[in-house]
Coordinates of all heavy atoms in Angstrom, one line a residue:
P36 N 204.0 72.6 119.4 CA 204.7 71.4 119.9 C 204.0 70.9 121.1 O 203.3 71.6 121.8 CB 206.1 72.0 120.3 CG 206.2 73.3 119.6 CD 204.8 73.8 119.4
M37 N 204.0 69.6 121.3 CA 203.2 69.0 122.3 C 203.5 69.6 123.7 O 202.6 69.9 124.5 CB 203.5 67.5 122.4 CG 202.8 66.7 121.3 SD 202.7 64.9 121.6 CE 204.4 64.4 121.2
V38 N 204.8 69.9 124.0 CA 205.2 70.5 125.3 C 204.5 71.9 125.4 O 204.2 72.3 126.5 CB 206.7 70.5 125.4 CG1 207.4 71.5 124.5 CG2 207.1 70.9 126.9
A39 N 204.4 72.6 124.3 CA 203.8 73.9 124.4 C 202.3 73.9 124.8 O 201.8 74.8 125.4 CB 203.9 74.7 123.1
W40 N 201.6 72.8 124.5 CA 200.2 72.6 125.0 C 200.2 72.5 126.5 O 199.3 73.1 127.2 CB 199.6 71.3 124.4 CG 199.2 71.5 123.0 CD1 199.8 71.2 121.9 CD2 197.9 72.1 122.6 NE1 199.1 71.5 120.8 CE2 197.9 72.1 121.2 CE3 196.8 72.6 123.2 CZ2 196.9 72.6 120.4 CZ3 195.8 73.1 122.5 CH2 195.8 73.1 121.1
A41 N 201.2 71.8 127.1 CA 201.2 71.8 128.6 C 201.5 73.1 129.2 O 200.9 73.5 130.2 CB 202.3 70.8 129.0
V42 N 202.4 73.9 128.6 CA 202.7 75.3 129.1 C 201.5 76.1 129.0 O 201.1 76.9 129.9 CB 203.9 75.9 128.3 CG1 204.1 77.3 128.7 CG2 205.2 75.1 128.5
K43 N 200.7 76.0 127.8 CA 199.5 76.8 127.7 C 198.5 76.4 128.8 O 197.8 77.3 129.3 CB 198.9 76.5 126.3 CG 197.6 77.3 126.0 CD 197.0 76.9 124.7 CE 195.7 77.7 124.5 NZ 194.9 77.1 123.4
A44 N 198.3 75.1 129.0 CA 197.4 74.7 130.1 C 197.8 75.3 131.4 O 196.9 75.8 132.2 CB 197.3 73.2 130.1
A45 N 199.1 75.3 131.7 CA 199.5 75.8 133.0 C 199.2 77.3 133.1 O 198.8 77.8 134.2 CB 201.0 75.6 133.2
R46 N 199.5 78.0 132.0 CA 199.2 79.5 132.0 C 197.7 79.8 132.2 O 197.3 80.7 132.9 CB 199.7 80.1 130.7 CG 201.3 80.1 130.6 CD 201.9 80.9 131.8 NE 203.3 81.0 131.7 CZ 204.1 81.1 132.7 NH1 203.6 81.2 133.9 NH2 205.4 81.2 132.6
E47 N 196.9 79.0 131.5 CA 195.4 79.2 131.6 C 194.9 78.9 133.0 O 193.9 79.4 133.4 CB 194.7 78.4 130.5 CG 194.9 78.9 129.1 CD 194.1 78.3 128.1 OE1 193.1 77.6 128.4 OE2 194.4 78.3 126.9
L48 N 195.6 78.0 133.7 CA 195.2 77.7 135.0 C 195.7 78.7 136.0 O 195.3 78.6 137.2 CB 195.9 76.3 135.4 CG 195.2 75.5 136.5 CD1 193.8 75.2 136.2 CD2 196.0 74.2 136.7
G49 N 196.5 79.7 135.6 CA 196.9 80.7 136.5 C 198.2 80.4 137.3 O 198.4 80.9 138.4
A50 N 199.0 79.5 136.7 CA 200.2 79.1 137.4 C 201.1 80.3 137.7 O 201.4 81.1 136.9 CB 201.0 78.0 136.6
R51 N 201.7 80.3 138.9 CA 202.6 81.3 139.3 C 204.0 81.1 138.7 O 204.6 82.0 138.1 CB 202.8 81.3 140.8 CG 203.8 82.3 141.4 CD 203.9 82.3 142.9 NE 204.4 81.0 143.3 CZ 204.8 80.7 144.6 NH1 204.6 81.7 145.5 NH2 205.2 79.5 144.9
N52 N 204.4 79.8 138.7 CA 205.7 79.5 138.1 C 205.6 78.2 137.3 O 204.8 77.3 137.7 CB 206.8 79.2 139.2 CG 207.1 80.5 140.0 OD1 207.7 81.4 139.5 ND2 206.6 80.5 141.3
V53 N 206.3 78.1 136.2 CA 206.3 76.9 135.4 C 207.7 76.4 135.2 O 208.5 77.2 134.7 CB 205.6 77.1 134.0 CG1 205.6 75.8 133.2 CG2 204.1 77.6 134.2
V54 N 208.0 75.2 135.6 CA 209.3 74.6 135.4 C 209.2 73.5 134.4 O 208.3 72.6 134.6 CB 209.9 74.1 136.7 CG1 211.3 73.4 136.4 CG2 210.1 75.2 137.7
V55 N 210.0 73.5 133.3 CA 210.0 72.4 132.4 C 211.3 71.6 132.5 O 212.4 72.2 132.5 CB 209.9 73.0 130.9 CG1 210.0 71.8 129.9 CG2 208.6 73.8 130.8
V56 N 211.1 70.3 132.8 CA 212.3 69.4 133.0 C 212.7 68.9 131.6 O 211.9 68.2 131.0 CB 212.0 68.3 134.0 CG1 213.2 67.4 134.2 CG2 211.5 68.9 135.3
T57 N 213.9 69.2 131.2 CA 214.4 68.7 129.9 C 215.5 67.7 130.0 O 216.2 67.7 131.1 CB 214.8 69.9 129.0 OG1 216.0 70.5 129.7 CG2 213.7 70.9 128.9

Side-chain angles (χ1 to χ4, degrees):
M37 285 196 285
V38 67
W40 282 97
V42 172
K43 181 187 179 190
R46 291 299 182 208
E47 291 188 17
L48 202 59
R51 177 182 63 173
N52 297 286
V53 179
V54 178
V55 178
V56 181
T57 62

